[in-house]
C-alpha cells in the first residue's frame, strides 16, 4: 500500500467551489462565499468566546434568523459591503448576550449550521478527539497524552512503538553516535552543557 499525501493538495481540495468558478469562467476574482464577506458565513462573538455560522443554504439562514427573532434579516444572508456590516452587527449584538453553551443549548434541534469555536484545550477534551484515536496514552509519562496520527491506513494503521524520550534521556547515545568518547561526554555533562 502507498499513501501519498500533500498538505497543498488537501488545501486545494477545500477550494473546489472556487476552483470550479475560476476554471469555468476565467474569473480571476478571489472573492468567495466562504471568505466571511457575507453574514451567513463567518465567526461571531458571544459572551464568552465565538460561534461559527455556516448557514449558506437558505433553509439554514431562515431558521437561524427565526431562532434569533430577527426574521427581517431572512433575505440578507448574502448581503455585501455596508449592508453586510449592518447585518453582522445586529446578529452579534444578540449573540453577545449569552455564552457559547447557552447558545448551543438554545440552538439544539434547530437546523442552523452553528458551532462553538473551541480552544485547543477544549478540542483535546472533546469526546470526538478520543473517539477518532487522536490522543495516545503511551503510559510512560504519567497522564500526558500525545496527539495521534491523523491519516488512517486500511491495511497498516499507525502504531506507537515508544514515547518521545525524556529530557536528556538519549543524550549520551546521540553524542556517542556523533563521535564523542565517554570522557568527552562526561566532561560535557559535568560542565552542564548537556544532560
Amino acid at each position: 500500500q502507498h499513501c501519498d499525501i500533500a498538505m497543498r493538495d488537501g488545501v486545494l481540495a477545500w477550494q473546489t467551489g472556487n476552483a470550479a468558478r475560476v476554471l469555468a469562467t476565467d474569473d480571476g476574482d478571489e472573492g468567495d462565499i466562504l471568505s466571511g464577506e457575507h453574514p451567513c458565513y463567518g465567526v461571531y462573538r458571544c459572551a464568552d468566546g465565538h460561534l461559527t455560522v455556516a448557514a449558506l443554504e437558505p433553509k439554514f439562514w431562515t431558521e437561524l434568523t427565526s431562532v434569533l427573532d430577527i426574521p427581517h434579516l431572512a433575505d440578507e444572508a448574502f448581503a455585501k459591503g455596508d449592508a453586510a456590516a449592518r447585518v453582522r452587527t445586529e446578529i452579534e449584538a444578540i449573540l453577545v448576550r449569552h455564552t457559547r453553551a447557552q447558545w448551543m443549548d438554545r440552538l439544539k434541534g434547530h437546523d442552523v449550521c452553528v458551532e462553538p469555536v473551541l480552544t485547543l484545550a477544549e478540542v483535546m477534551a472533546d469526546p470526538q478527539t478520543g473517539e477518532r484515536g487522536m490522543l495516545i496514552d503511551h503510559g510512560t509519562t504519567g497522564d500526558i497524552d500525545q496527539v495521534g496520527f491523523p491519516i488512517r491506513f486500511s491495511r497498516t494503521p499507525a502504531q506507537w512503538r515508544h514515547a518521545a524520550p525524556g529530557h536528556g534521556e538519549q543524550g549520551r547515545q546521540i553524542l556517542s553516535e556523533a563521535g564523542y568518547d565517554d570522557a568527552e561526554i562526561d566532561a560535557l555533562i559535568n560542565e552542564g552543557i548537556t544532560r
Side-chain angles (χ1 to χ4, degrees):
Q1 123 184 300
H2 175 78
C3 189
D4 178 349
I5 300 171
M7 288 187 292
R8 185 182 188 281
D9 296 348
V11 171
L12 185 57
W14 280 87
Q15 293 297 318
T16 55
N18 297 322
R21 177 182 44 78
V22 170
L23 294 170
T25 67
D26 293 326
D27 181 0
D29 180 14
E30 293 299 319
D32 65 64
I33 61 173
L34 303 182
S35 66
E37 173 186 10
H38 305 291
C40 64
Y41 193 90
V43 178
Y44 289 87
R45 282 185 310 123
C46 60
D48 64 344
H50 293 84
L51 297 170
T52 60
V53 173
L56 295 171
E57 289 86 358
K59 67 179 183 175
F60 301 136
W61 179 255
T62 301
E63 180 80 4
L64 180 61
T65 59
S66 175
V67 173
L68 297 180
D69 197 26
I70 49 173
H72 61 281
L73 297 180
D75 294 329
E76 299 288 338
F78 292 99
K80 292 184 176 185
D82 292 341
R86 176 186 48 78
V87 172
R88 290 181 65 78
T89 298
E90 188 169 343
I91 292 170
E92 201 159 84
I94 294 167
L95 295 177
V96 297
R97 296 177 193 160
H98 301 289
T99 66
R100 289 178 310 164
Q102 289 169 322
W103 279 118
M104 294 315 297
D105 188 53
R106 182 172 174 186
L107 295 170
K108 186 181 284 183
H110 294 281
D111 205 3
V112 294
C113 294
V114 175
E115 290 293 330
V117 175
L118 303 178
T119 65
L120 187 53
E122 290 168 328
V123 169
M124 295 301 175
D126 189 88
Q128 183 71 3
T129 302
E131 290 294 322
R132 292 288 300 158
M134 288 306 296
L135 290 180
I136 304 298
D137 177 6
H138 45 70
T140 61
T141 58
D143 61 353
I144 300 174
D145 292 333
Q146 289 183 334
V147 174
F149 193 65
I151 302 167
R152 306 294 182 264
F153 294 96
S154 61
R155 294 190 320 233
T156 57
Q159 296 179 0
W160 290 88
R161 293 182 293 271
H162 53 76
H167 187 72
E169 182 179 337
Q170 296 174 343
R172 182 172 285 280
Q173 174 188 343
I174 292 168
L175 289 170
S176 177
E177 290 172 4
Y180 291 87
D181 64 32
D182 286 341
E184 292 171 317
I185 294 171
D186 289 339
L188 290 171
I189 292 171
N190 291 335
E191 293 175 29
I193 294 172
T194 190
R195 296 172 63 162

